[in-house]
Structure formats: structure tokens, C-alpha cells
Amino acid sequence: MSDYQSRLLSVIPGGAHTYSRGFDQFPANAPQILTSGKGAYVFDPDNKRYLDYGMALRSVILGYADEAVSLAAVEQIWAGNNLTRASTIELEAAELLVDMIDSVDMVKFTKNGSTAVSAAVKLARAYTGRDLIARCGQHPFFSYDDWFIGSTPLTRGIPQNVVEQTKCFNYNDLASLEQLFAAYPQQIACVVMEPATSEHPAPSATHEGETFLHDVQRLCARHGVVFVLDEMITGFRWDLRGAQHKYRIKPDLCTFGKAMANGFSVAAVAGRRDIMELGSIEKSGAERLFLLSTTHGAEMCGLGAFVKTAAMLRERDVVNHIWSYGAKLKSGMNALAAEAGVADYFRVEGIDCSPGYLTLDRDGNPSMALRTLFSQEMVRQGVLMPWIALSREHGEEELEQTLSAVKNALRVYAQALESGWENLLEGPVIKPVFRKYN
């Protein structure tokens, strides 16, 4: 293969437009660039096929190049794609989301999750008149904007006062959030978190049948804080109506993106009318809030893709499929780890519709080197598994291929545990995205 990596790095900072796609996130034998995707597979310039578990950073849920979704997008392209006034597909998509999601009265579309979550933060600040943000420390990414990045090690270029405005609490640890409210009384505008990532919300300690999410909601209500659930990942994977429906919780604001349009660029901030309408213009004399005014925010092809994706999710029973497939994949991979004698050092955990794998060294500590080695050996057998994102196109044939690849990869993994990974790894170790230095 040509040296696409150096060409990418010469014209794009980081070599990709998302750091999670960077060369430092993949083993050295992974394809440096891709040309296309179809179903559960992606293809490199040499037309080599890889079974994919990245699924475009979890944005593809039906499968790559789904014909029905593509045709719906093309229909809107031929209708003009971007008009001088609001379009009919814009109204249809908004009414659809309001109808689908229990907590939503109004919605505003944008092109990516970062701007949607930042819009929720701005709404919360306007609604409360407060500045500080409490965000969940265990949830890896909310926005590329400074209010979030300033709470990571990557603070270069961010004013110190902005860094100090975001505080972190722990998932399933109500006391850590209570401590923030006590330390910063009447200063916190919003709590920002995902409904779940690798574990379900814990049962409430005080209210039977409820969860940590309900405890957070009650705490927010008591302190006049806006409760924001980021459903970029959980939306349309946990449940068609979002993880909030599965967990029976109604946030004040919520955000969606990724899988909602099967890879097309659509995201949304949505929620309670009294908060969302701060961005409206019809109330004469009300102070205005400038909210998500973007030329391409309601681009018609993406919204057409969203409307069709929502229909296909229902018709194909996609949510139940990925829950079932994920459960079988977890069970199969863990059984193979036990068979290889590495069950104490490699395991698949997490929620069935969105599992993840852990790579541990002999001391039981997370090992990026062993993660790189496992990923390298999966690539060697035609499986791209930087993480595990599932689609409707992952079926029994794909499961069989994956487990065969895992079986072979874990043989090498066991060898690395026995004699070291250094002579088995072909290139550098994968690095975390959020690191202070390159």
C-alpha cells in the first residue's frame, strides 16, 4: 500500500478530522486509509476487505451504504439539499424526534455532537444565570469546545478561567456530585453526563425501582440545576426512544447524533420547551439567546437519512438484534479467553448492545501494549476492532469470522503474557487520545 499516512499528515493536522481516526489509535498493520464501506465491511485502496467493529465511530447502525437510507438522502439532494427557508423535511424530522423521545418538546439540529452538547450547556447557563458545569469524569467525550477539553489534560490554548469552570464527578457516586453542589452553591448551571457507558446506572439507595439517574435528577431539581443527558452513543442503540426511555428518566435537555442518521451528519439538542424556547424569536421584548445559527445545520440530505433510518430501525428490529448479537459476542470471546488460559487478563465486559474489551498485564493493570497486540492480530485476520460498535449487518457469518479471529489472536496474546509483547508487536503502542504530550 502507498504511504497514505505521510500524505495525510502533510495536509491534515493529526492526519484525520477526528483524533479517534488518527494513526496513533491503530496498530501498524491496520489500513492507513479506507475507500468505502458496505454492510459490516470496509475496504482499503487495494480492495482488501475488513470486517469492521469501528462502524464510523459508532455512527453507522444499519450497516454501511444502506440502500434505503442512501436513496432517502439522494431524494433530498435532488430537492435542493439546502433552501432559503426551512424545508419540509426539516419540519418532518423535528416532529419525528419530538414524537419519538419522551422528554422532548422542541429540537434544534446541527451537524455534530460537539456543537449539540455545547448548545445544551449554553442553554443551561442562560436558563440558570450560572457559569459552572458539572460533568461526569468517567464519560470520555462531550465536546471539542473549551468547556470540556479544559477538563482533560489537553489544556493548551484554553484560558485558565475556562478550565476552572468545569468540575468533575463520578458515575454511580451521588456523594461526589453532592460535594460539588456543596462546594459551589448556586454556581452550577448544569450536570452533563451520559445515561450509561460500560455499566448500567446503579439502583437508587433511597427510592426503590429507581436508579442513580433519578437521584441525580432529584439533586438537580433541588438545586435549580439543568439535567443534561448526552445520548450521542446510547441514542437508538439502547432503545429506539433512547436510553432515557429504557431507564425511565426524563432529562431537562438531551443530545443525539451518531447512529441517528446511519453515518450522515446529523445531531440534535432537544428538551423541555421552557429551556429550548430561549433560542426562539417570537416572544416580543424577551432577551435573545443566540442558539445554533448554522447554514448547514438542517441540511436536507442528512435529515432525510434520519427519517429513513428511524423507520428502518423499527422495521428491521435493529435494537433487539444488536443486543442479542452483543450478548453472543461477549459470551463467545470470554469463552475463548478461558480456553486460551488468559481469562484473568483479557475479557469482554459492558452492556450487551455496546460491549468493550479489557486487556490486562500480568499484574492486572490495563495494558495499551497488549491492546495494540490484540488489535494487530485481529487486523492480520481481516477484522478491524479498535472498539466494539455493532450494526444490523453483523450476523451469524460475521460472528463466526470474529470468533475465529479472536481464537487466533488470543494464542498470540497468551504468548505475550508468557514471554513479553516486545518481540510480537510490529509497531508502536496505541496511545490515549487525551494525553498531555505526543
Side-chain angles (χ1 to χ4, degrees):
M1 181 184 290
S2 301
D3 185 13
Y4 289 103
Q5 182 173 301
S6 62
R7 289 172 60 188
L8 287 164
L9 289 168
S10 73
V11 292
I12 303 171
H17 287 85
T18 309
Y19 283 111
S20 294
R21 288 188 171 104
F23 74 92
D24 59 351
Q25 301 302 296
F26 295 86
N29 67 336
Q32 295 179 7
I33 200 167
L34 298 171
T35 57
S36 63
K38 182 63 179 175
Y41 298 89
V42 290
F43 299 83
D44 71 13
D46 297 326
N47 207 35
K48 184 174 180 180
R49 187 179 80 161
Y50 299 86
L51 173 58
D52 187 30
Y53 283 93
M55 299 312 293
L57 282 67
R58 305 181 190 273
S59 68
V60 173
I61 189 169
L62 297 173
Y64 289 110
D66 181 87
E67 184 175 353
V69 174
S70 297
L71 288 173
V74 169
E75 180 182 349
Q76 295 302 322
I77 290 173
W78 285 117
N81 199 45
N82 208 340
L83 308 177
T84 303
R85 297 291 303 271
S87 64
T88 52
I89 191 66
E90 185 175 344
L91 176 60
E92 181 182 353
E95 290 178 336
L96 172 61
L97 193 71
V98 169
D99 181 64
M100 285 181 70
I101 308 301
D102 301 334
S103 66
V104 171
D105 299 321
M106 300 183 81
V107 57
K108 196 150 191 183
F109 293 112
T110 182
K111 301 304 287 182
N112 62 70
S114 288
T115 51
V117 183
S118 289
V121 168
K122 185 174 186 179
L123 281 165
R125 283 172 161 166
Y127 186 76
T128 62
R130 303 172 183 175
D131 294 334
L132 301 190
I133 301 155
R135 70 98 167 169
C136 185
Q138 284 70 45
H139 297 163
F141 188 78
F142 289 111
S143 177
Y144 53 51
D145 287 313
D146 288 352
W147 69 265
F148 171 72
I149 300 299
S151 66
T152 77
L154 298 171
T155 56
R156 187 178 183 183
I158 302 175
Q160 185 60 31
N161 68 306
V162 175
V163 171
E164 293 170 356
Q165 287 179 339
T166 299
K167 312 298 180 182
C168 292
F169 66 96
N170 298 319
Y171 190 71
N172 279 336
D173 180 1
L174 191 66
S176 67
L177 184 57
E178 290 174 328
Q179 289 165 7
L180 287 183
F181 284 175
Y184 305 99
Q186 303 298 309
Q187 297 177 62
I188 296 175
C190 59
V191 166
V192 181
M193 62 184 297
E194 296 180 61
T197 50
S198 60
E199 59 181 318
H200 292 294
S204 170
T206 56
H207 290 69
E208 186 176 354
E210 295 189 349
T211 71
F212 170 69
L213 298 177
H214 297 88
D215 291 338
V216 172
Q217 183 181 51
R218 274 187 289 271
L219 192 62
C220 287
R222 191 181 315 139
H223 291 272
V225 173
V226 176
F227 179 36
V228 181
L229 283 184
D230 176 3
E231 292 228 45
M232 290 297 150
I233 292 175
T234 58
F236 311 101
R237 288 186 178 275
W238 265 242
D239 189 279
L240 275 178
R241 294 179 178 269
Q244 58 187 269
H245 183 79
K246 183 174 183 63
Y247 298 131
R248 296 182 293 108
I249 188 79
K250 288 186 178 182
D252 300 319
L253 295 174
C254 53
T255 57
F256 292 89
K258 291 197 183 283
M260 71 184 295
N262 200 50
F264 283 86
S265 181
V266 179
V269 58
R272 277 171 33 192
R273 183 175 304 278
D274 61 325
I275 302 176
M276 290 294 299
E277 68 183 3
L278 294 176
S280 293
I281 59 173
E282 70 272 24
K283 291 190 174 182
S284 181
E287 184 179 2
R288 296 184 64 184
L289 170 70
F290 200 79
L291 177 67
L292 287 179
S293 182
T294 58
T295 300
H296 302 290
E299 187 179 22
M300 294 159 64
C301 63
L303 295 180
F306 160 55
V307 171
K308 179 56 71 171
T309 297
M312 293 297 98
L313 288 171
R314 290 190 186 93
E315 290 177 18
R316 299 177 187 174
D317 196 24
V318 174
V319 173
N320 284 333
H321 171 77
I322 63 175
W323 277 85
S324 174
Y325 185 97
K328 288 186 284 188
L329 182 66
K330 279 174 60 179
S331 175
M333 290 179 71
N334 285 329
L336 290 171
E339 181 182 308
V342 298
D344 291 336
Y345 311 102
F346 180 93
R347 59 180 179 268
V348 184
E349 298 182 339
I351 297 169
D352 286 351
C353 67
S354 185
Y357 60 88
L358 295 178
T359 55
L360 308 175
D361 63 21
R362 277 288 182 186
D363 297 322
N365 299 314
S367 170
M368 293 300 286
L370 288 172
R371 187 177 185 89
T372 309
L373 180 64
F374 174 77
S375 186
Q376 169 189 288
E377 295 307 306
M378 294 295 283
V379 168
R380 193 184 307 284
Q381 295 159 93
V383 180
L384 196 58
M385 190 182 271
W387 50 82
I388 301 175
L390 306 176
S391 78
R392 182 63 183 84
E393 292 298 305
H394 287 91
E396 291 304 315
E397 181 179 334
E398 286 70 30
L399 181 62
E400 183 178 336
Q401 178 184 347
T402 304
L403 294 180
S404 176
V406 169
K407 185 173 184 176
N408 291 323
L410 290 181
R411 289 197 190 103
V412 180
Y413 197 94
Q415 186 180 344
L417 287 169
E418 185 67 30
S419 57
W421 53 265
E422 291 81 358
N423 293 326
L424 297 169
L425 196 59
E426 295 179 1
V429 173
I430 290 170
K431 298 177 181 179
V433 168
F434 290 107
R435 60 187 190 274
K436 187 73 172 176
Y437 301 100
N438 287 326

